[in-house]
Amino acid sequence: MKREQFGRGSILNYIIALAAIFALNFILPRLMPGDPLHAIYGDEALVAMTPEMERSLIREFALDRSWIDQLQAYLMGLSHFDLGYSYYYKDQVSSVIMGALPWTLLLTGLALVIATALGIILGIESGYRRGELLDRCIVASLMFLSGFPDFFIGILLLLLFGVALGIAPLSGAITPYAGLEGFGYLEDVIGHLALPLSSLVLVQLGGIYLLTRNTIVSLMGESFILTAKAKGCSEFSIKYSHAGRNSLLPVTTATGLRIPHLLTGALFIEIIFSYPGVGSVLNTALNARDYPLIQGILLLITVAVLTANLIVDLLYSRLDPRVRYAH
Amino acid sequence: MLQIKDLKVAFGEAEVLRGIDLDLDAGDSLSVVGESGAGKTTLGLCIMGLATGRVSGEVRFKGKDLLKISEEDFRRMRGREIAMVFQNVEDALDPVQRIQDQIAEAIHIHNNATATDVELRAKKLLLSVGLNGDKARAYPHQLSGGERQRVLISMALANDPDVLILDEPTASLDALTKADILKLFRSAIAGRISLVITHDLSLAAGLTEQMAVLYAGRIVEVGRTDELLSDPRHPYTRGLIRSYPGMTMTKDLQGIPGRMDHCLEGCPFHKRCTQRIEICRIKVPQLRKIDGRLIACHRGGIVPLLEIRHLHKSFDSCFALCDINLTLYEGETLALVGESGSGKSTLSRVIMGLYDQDRGDIILEGQEVGKRDAAFFSRVQMIFQNPKESVSHRMNVLDAVLEPLNVQKKGDREERLIRAKEVLDCVELPFSDDFLDRYPHQLSGGEVQRVAIARALALGPKLLIADEPTSALDPSVQAKILKLLMDLQEEMGLAMLFVTHDIALARKVSDRIAVMLKGQIVEMGATNEVLSHPEHSYTRRLVDCAKSYQRDSKEINQRPDRDSNPG
Ligand code: SF4
């Protein structure tokens, strides 16, 4: 029962946060001086706009009616994922985003999973061997790597494997016009994914690894580890089922906090590798000052970050019985 | 079955254990006591093969040297043949796993059983330590400290080990829980080799038959627990017991001077020992069997300072002392109680040589005392009920303190002055010119007695005979003087023969008590034992008297209440 309370409470918080973001998105353009249509679409778009289009937009946003009607129109739009019209792509913002989203999800999702898993395993192994050669080597190399800014590693990999060695494609997510299918298509996707994914993983790895390692180092001094050893637990079970499981708690929290960082990282990496994800779209939209598109993407990112945090919260309460069954 | 030989553990330069020898057979229970930092826990970890640091020596168990077998072999023994419960019940259990699963794990590791079987056994184990089914699925944070300790015990017993090590098993439990769980400990250690690591002497007394005292990585004394506690023979053991607040202790708490120092050459305790001799600094004393006890001390434990054998004294064919036998150990207070005329003052005067004995021997530090010469007085001093007996009214404070030094021609004037300042400091008197110039009649009673004590201390005696030293003083001053004497004892190892008629006073200041009646010692023993179970009818009368006096005074105190309440 307690657990449900916790879940409900935290979900409520997220709903409030989400409502606040939607409200801001609604209110801000209308608070700007001048015509809200200007604020929403920007000057450049309006120049290219025909009077009919302008009229239909005013109707769509109900800009000629009371603000309650405007709000209603706005919410109706949102409920249909109608985020406006991208004049640059000449398409609905939502469909532009949906076209790019799978690639970004693929990239960031895989990066998150791989970086977290690898970071935790390396962290456990290295924390368990604190002070030994292996530990010191891993610490040094990952500290070195995480010292670089995100895009630098991307450029480095691109130059090394793409340009100098030529073993990886330079850009894109698939080879255009190749008409590949089945296994060939998969291979192609993976080939294109390899470099951006590795850059993103390398950037994310350091933080997760260091945190896990330090957590493990301090956990190894805890009494319950001694108890586990005294029971005759194998090394593997001490490392993973006792120390490892306990280290998941701080690591999960930190991973949640790192998701915005992951997204900005993905943004840069997508641009460098011209990967057709949301980041590249955002870049294009920024260059073209395609305001509805920019707004739509920012809205998406905020919602994504909120959702990720919610998932982390729920996960944490599953992992830590002290939260689940709080006194 | 478990033999430890010359076990040493070092972390870098620091040696934590410096050569431990122990020999335990099935059914033996041994408590390892000592201050924190003495290496108690490290000893336990060594037997478990979990000590970090450099380990050398031998830990033989069932014929195998545990320090030589492979880690994998050792792992298979841990929990199955040798189990340990760690201190700190707060975090000795994995916080994210159900306790039932943690116990099941302990069973599962060493047994090929199905999951349901293991679960059943885990539940049974929990029941056997008094935790029922719904606790089994709980997480550690949902349990109280006592319950967690029960879980830890059941886990240690999961595979019925031959050796059980308990490390500070009650450290974080409150008194009532502790009493509750003691029974469980007792049944847990029964029939196994058990090692109870603790600084809690009452726990050690309640659980184990043998006791080993560890100091700075060495064992200094081993013996039967009850004997060790009632009659400690190593100076450190005595210090440890004196500083432990037990319900049976009647003497006020005393500490041990100084701090524990690791890595000392020679006897590990020599810096704090008040009876050290030259060799103590150079050579490590080995554990030797002395009177059924193992003691590591060059002097064979606490030395007898004064021995009196078959002493007789009569005045005009009237017996004053008849066949007196007693031994006074270094750093100990022996109270000599009895009514006036019982011979207690005569005895102290005979020792001081103020009267000659008719028959019998007085032996001081192993040597028969003949003429009371300078050497004697530099070792034995006396203070009297009336300080004016020891401080002449014609001497000012400085002269009174300097006099014994002058008489014995100790050093030049400079050194004597320095010494005078030291002893005045010891008795908490100022060293100002104004004070030094005062004469006894210008001082309070307490101050004169302090001057008398300073004077007695000037030559650094080992034995102080105090004849009713406080009976002429106000109670508050008396308390201060007694406190002073006990502190001096703690610091210098001063032995005291405390002559008094006040049994309540004797109870607070003495380690042992001798009751005198008509020139004979009718009862002698540890103060708390003699006073709580007096055997001689005379002692019983004295004790009853002291008690009824207190009861009367209570009634007197209560009477006004009763009067003010009409009807
Ligand atoms: S007399 Fe010497 S050997 Fe004995 S305890 Fe004291 S210092 Fe150690």
Side-chain angles (χ1 to χ4, degrees):
Chain A
M1 197 196 118
K2 285 253 164 80
R3 165 174 155 206
E4 242 137 55
Q5 261 173 7
F6 168 77
R8 234 188 283 138
S10 87
I11 288 176
L12 194 70
N13 286 344
Y14 282 102
I15 290 174
I16 292 171
L18 203 61
I21 287 159
F22 287 151
L24 269 183
N25 205 32
F26 171 73
I27 294 166
L28 272 182
R30 286 163 181 79
L31 286 183
M32 296 251 203
D35 182 2
L37 210 56
H38 272 242
I40 295 173
Y41 274 78
D43 296 332
E44 284 163 57
L46 283 185
V47 173
M49 223 179 255
T50 60
E52 297 92 73
M53 262 178 86
E54 197 175 331
R55 259 196 304 283
S56 83
L57 279 175
I58 288 178
R59 209 178 322 118
E60 194 186 318
F61 285 118
L63 287 178
D64 49 352
R65 273 177 285 157
S66 75
W67 69 270
I68 294 188
D69 289 331
Q70 291 184 30
L71 181 66
Q72 202 182 358
Y74 171 73
L75 290 178
M76 283 301 285
L78 270 185
S79 66
H80 295 117
F81 296 106
D82 181 356
L83 298 170
Y85 185 79
S86 161
Y87 82 94
Y88 179 85
Y89 282 98
K90 308 236 178 327
D91 199 355
Q92 286 295 315
V93 167
S94 52
S95 45
V96 174
I97 293 179
M98 286 321 274
L101 194 59
W103 296 118
T104 300
L105 281 181
L106 183 68
L107 179 62
T108 51
L110 270 181
L112 186 68
V113 169
I114 295 175
T116 310
L118 205 62
I120 290 177
I121 292 173
L122 282 179
I124 290 177
E125 292 297 332
S126 148
Y128 188 76
R129 294 178 173 76
R130 177 164 85 134
E132 288 174 29
L133 189 66
L134 182 73
D135 172 46
R136 278 184 291 177
C137 287
I138 305 180
V139 171
S141 48
L142 283 182
M143 289 284 271
F144 179 72
L145 269 180
S146 55
F148 293 116
D150 310 8
F151 56 86
F152 188 80
I153 291 185
I155 294 172
L156 214 64
L157 289 186
L158 188 66
L159 289 179
L160 188 63
F161 293 99
V163 180
L165 297 174
I167 50 173
L170 289 178
S171 68
I174 44 170
T175 316
Y177 316 118
L180 292 169
E181 271 179 36
F183 191 68
Y185 179 75
L186 194 68
E187 211 177 3
D188 190 44
V189 167
I190 292 174
H192 279 85
L193 194 61
L195 284 189
L197 184 63
S198 321
S199 334
L200 210 49
V201 166
L202 282 180
V203 171
Q204 295 296 319
L205 189 59
I208 295 168
Y209 159 76
L210 274 182
L211 180 71
T212 313
R213 178 188 175 274
N214 294 347
T215 313
I216 293 287
V217 165
S218 65
L219 281 173
M220 287 318 287
E222 293 277 341
S223 290
F224 72 84
I225 294 293
L226 266 182
T227 305
K229 284 184 182 169
K231 281 199 266 189
C233 287
S234 65
E235 201 177 51
F236 182 84
S237 116
I238 286 168
K239 277 195 286 197
Y240 288 90
S241 77
H242 290 283
R245 222 170 123 178
N246 275 278
S247 75
L248 282 185
L249 306 172
V251 170
T252 311
T253 317
T255 307
L257 294 176
R258 291 183 69 84
I259 282 176
H261 180 229
L262 176 74
L263 293 182
T264 50
L267 191 86
F268 284 116
I269 297 290
E270 281 184 9
I271 295 168
I272 290 164
F273 289 94
S274 309
Y275 202 74
V278 178
S280 291
V281 174
L282 180 63
N283 189 36
T284 316
L286 280 170
N287 284 335
R289 304 201 193 193
D290 191 342
Y291 286 154
L293 189 52
I294 296 172
Q295 250 181 36
I297 292 177
L298 292 185
L299 199 65
L300 174 79
I301 292 178
T302 342
V303 171
V305 169
L306 275 181
T307 318
N309 279 327
L310 172 65
I311 292 172
V312 166
D313 262 8
L314 294 176
L315 204 61
Y316 192 90
S317 71
R318 288 258 5 124
L319 285 173
D320 191 351
R322 282 162 295 190
V323 177
R324 203 176 341 151
Y325 301 101
H327 289 295
Chain B
M1 200 153 68
L2 180 69
Q3 283 164 313
I4 299 175
K5 278 203 202 105
D6 198 29
L7 180 68
K8 289 183 186 158
V9 180
F11 297 100
E13 285 296 286
E15 280 193 305
V16 180
L17 291 182
R18 310 177 64 185
I20 299 290
D21 294 287
L22 279 177
D23 206 334
L24 294 169
D25 265 322
D28 282 357
S29 56
L30 174 82
S31 47
V32 179
V33 299
E35 284 164 270
S36 34
K40 293 173 294 186
T41 300
T42 310
L43 176 60
L45 288 176
C46 271
I47 301 171
M48 289 300 287
L50 293 174
T52 46
R54 266 178 296 116
V55 184
S56 68
E58 250 179 59
V59 178
R60 265 189 190 286
F61 177 62
K62 293 184 176 169
K64 279 176 285 186
D65 184 356
L66 298 186
L67 299 183
K68 298 231 164 60
I69 64 175
S70 74
E71 168 58 26
E72 183 54 26
D73 287 345
F74 212 145
R75 187 187 68 71
R76 262 185 239 126
M77 284 176 61
R78 265 182 227 134
R80 192 160 60 93
E81 290 174 73
I82 308 177
M84 180 162 178
V85 174
F86 295 94
Q87 54 182 323
N88 225 338
V89 279
E90 294 309 311
D91 3 271
L93 287 165
D94 190 333
V96 302
Q97 297 192 26
R98 293 181 196 279
I99 57 166
Q100 178 190 318
D101 298 343
Q102 299 192 40
I103 293 170
E105 187 185 24
I107 301 169
H108 187 75
I109 293 166
H110 300 293
N111 295 283
N112 267 332
T114 62
T116 39
D117 229 27
V118 169
E119 197 185 313
L120 213 71
R121 276 179 64 184
K123 284 213 172 102
K124 255 196 216 143
L125 268 169
L126 279 170
L127 269 179
S128 73
V129 297
L131 291 176
N132 58 16
D134 51 321
K135 297 281 181 195
R137 298 195 47 78
Y139 287 92
H141 74 275
Q142 295 169 306
L143 302 180
S144 69
E147 287 169 334
R148 268 179 255 185
Q149 188 60 280
R150 284 171 196 273
V151 173
L152 286 166
I153 302 248
S154 70
M155 201 143 79
L157 297 182
N159 297 292
D160 194 15
D162 300 317
V163 179
L164 179 64
I165 305 169
L166 304 175
D167 188 3
E168 298 286 8
T170 56
S172 41
L173 304 180
D174 60 76
L176 291 178
T177 314
K178 199 166 125 179
D180 236 19
I181 214 163
L182 206 65
K183 259 221 312 269
L184 177 61
F185 285 142
R186 256 191 226 125
S187 67
I189 66 176
R192 308 175 207 280
I193 296 181
S194 55
L195 219 64
V196 179
I197 294 165
T198 184
H199 63 262
D200 182 345
L201 297 180
S202 70
L203 175 76
L207 277 185
T208 60
E209 264 162 37
Q210 308 258 348
M211 179 180 272
V213 182
L214 204 61
Y215 184 81
R218 289 189 204 279
I219 290 180
V220 295
E221 187 167 1
V222 187
R224 284 179 51 94
T225 306
D226 49 352
E227 287 174 9
L228 211 84
L229 289 176
S230 64
D231 178 25
R233 298 293 305 280
H234 192 278
Y236 176 66
T237 314
R238 183 176 65 189
L240 199 65
I241 294 171
R242 278 186 177 171
S243 52
Y244 182 79
M247 284 302 279
T248 52
M249 274 259 298
T250 55
K251 196 184 185 192
D252 277 341
L253 294 185
Q254 280 174 295
I256 306 171
R259 264 185 304 118
M260 183 161 66
D261 224 338
H262 279 272
C263 310
L264 277 184
E265 296 281 308
C267 172
F269 189 58
H270 82 251
K271 279 224 169 131
R272 306 168 79 180
C273 183
T274 50
Q275 59 164 37
R276 60 173 172 256
I277 48 175
E278 202 42 40
I279 191 170
C280 300
R281 258 190 316 123
I282 307 158
K283 223 177 124 212
V284 181
Q286 295 303 319
L287 269 182
R288 279 183 296 148
K289 198 152 201 135
I290 303 172
D291 303 338
R293 189 86 65 89
L294 289 172
I295 298 171
C297 176
H298 287 306
R299 306 190 66 180
I302 303 165
V303 289
L305 199 65
L306 178 76
E307 287 164 276
I308 294 177
R309 300 273 166 265
H310 309 297
L311 191 77
H312 292 263
K313 171 75 189 165
S314 54
F315 296 110
D316 310 328
S317 75
C318 163
F319 271 127
L321 296 173
C322 180
D323 197 20
I324 301 289
N325 286 291
L326 60 82
T327 308
L328 180 59
Y329 288 93
E330 197 267 356
E332 156 188 275
T333 303
L334 175 67
L336 217 50
V337 297
E339 58 201 3
S340 30
S342 60
K344 53 193 195 321
S345 289
T346 312
L347 177 58
S348 56
R349 275 155 216 258
V350 170
I351 296 168
M352 286 308 285
L354 300 178
Y355 306 138
D356 282 332
Q357 72 260 41
D358 300 342
R359 258 183 301 138
D361 304 314
I362 299 176
I363 300 158
L364 185 66
E365 293 190 285
Q367 278 165 356
E368 169 89 53
V369 176
K371 214 164 90 34
R372 308 304 194 263
D373 51 7
F376 176 83
F377 287 114
S378 70
R379 285 182 292 169
V380 184
Q381 284 285 326
M382 184 158 179
I383 50 177
F384 298 91
Q385 171 177 7
N386 184 352
K388 303 221 163 79
E389 279 185 50
S390 39
V391 183
S392 156
H393 65 277
R394 271 169 311 199
M395 280 187 195
N396 64 16
V397 172
L398 184 63
D399 289 340
V401 178
L402 281 178
E403 192 196 32
L405 294 164
N406 291 336
V407 169
Q408 296 235 348
K409 302 195 181 57
K410 283 264 159 78
D412 53 24
R413 177 144 181 96
E414 275 308 294
E415 285 165 1
R416 286 178 205 166
L417 272 177
I418 292 172
R419 180 69 191 153
K421 180 173 170 8
E422 267 174 23
V423 290
L424 281 172
D425 226 35
C426 272
V427 299
E428 292 153 17
L429 285 178
F431 195 72
S432 63
D433 287 342
D434 165 54
F435 185 80
L436 295 178
D437 275 343
R438 288 198 208 163
Y439 285 86
H441 66 271
Q442 294 170 300
L443 300 172
S444 71
E447 281 172 328
V448 186
Q449 192 57 290
R450 278 172 200 262
V451 172
I453 295 172
R455 195 177 131 92
L457 293 179
L459 293 167
K462 291 300 283 177
L463 171 60
L464 191 66
I465 299 176
D467 190 354
E468 304 270 11
T470 57
S471 55
L473 303 174
D474 285 341
S476 69
V477 181
Q478 158 171 312
K480 280 191 197 138
I481 295 285
L482 292 176
K483 178 97 182 47
L484 174 71
L485 288 174
M486 303 234 320
D487 288 348
L488 291 172
Q489 176 167 68
E490 174 187 324
E491 251 154 68
M492 323 197 289
L494 203 60
M496 260 188 282
L497 194 62
F498 197 95
V499 181
T500 181
H501 64 273
D502 185 347
I503 207 156
L505 188 67
R507 179 173 171 270
K508 295 299 287 180
V509 298
S510 64
D511 300 282
R512 289 192 303 136
I513 198 166
V515 183
M516 286 191 75
L517 174 67
K518 293 188 190 135
Q520 279 178 309
I521 293 181
V522 293
E523 188 164 1
M524 181 155 69
T527 305
N528 57 353
E529 275 165 34
V530 169
L531 296 189
S532 48
H533 310 288
E535 261 162 27
H536 196 274
S537 58
Y538 178 62
T539 319
R540 228 171 292 142
R541 248 178 42 223
L542 281 182
V543 173
D544 286 347
C545 256
K547 279 188 184 157
S548 70
Y549 167 68
Q550 274 175 356
R551 227 175 291 130
D552 286 348
S553 60
K554 229 186 247 162
E555 274 167 23
I556 292 167
N557 284 341
Q558 282 168 354
R559 219 155 276 154
D561 285 7
R562 239 180 275 159
D563 289 345
S564 64
N565 199 348

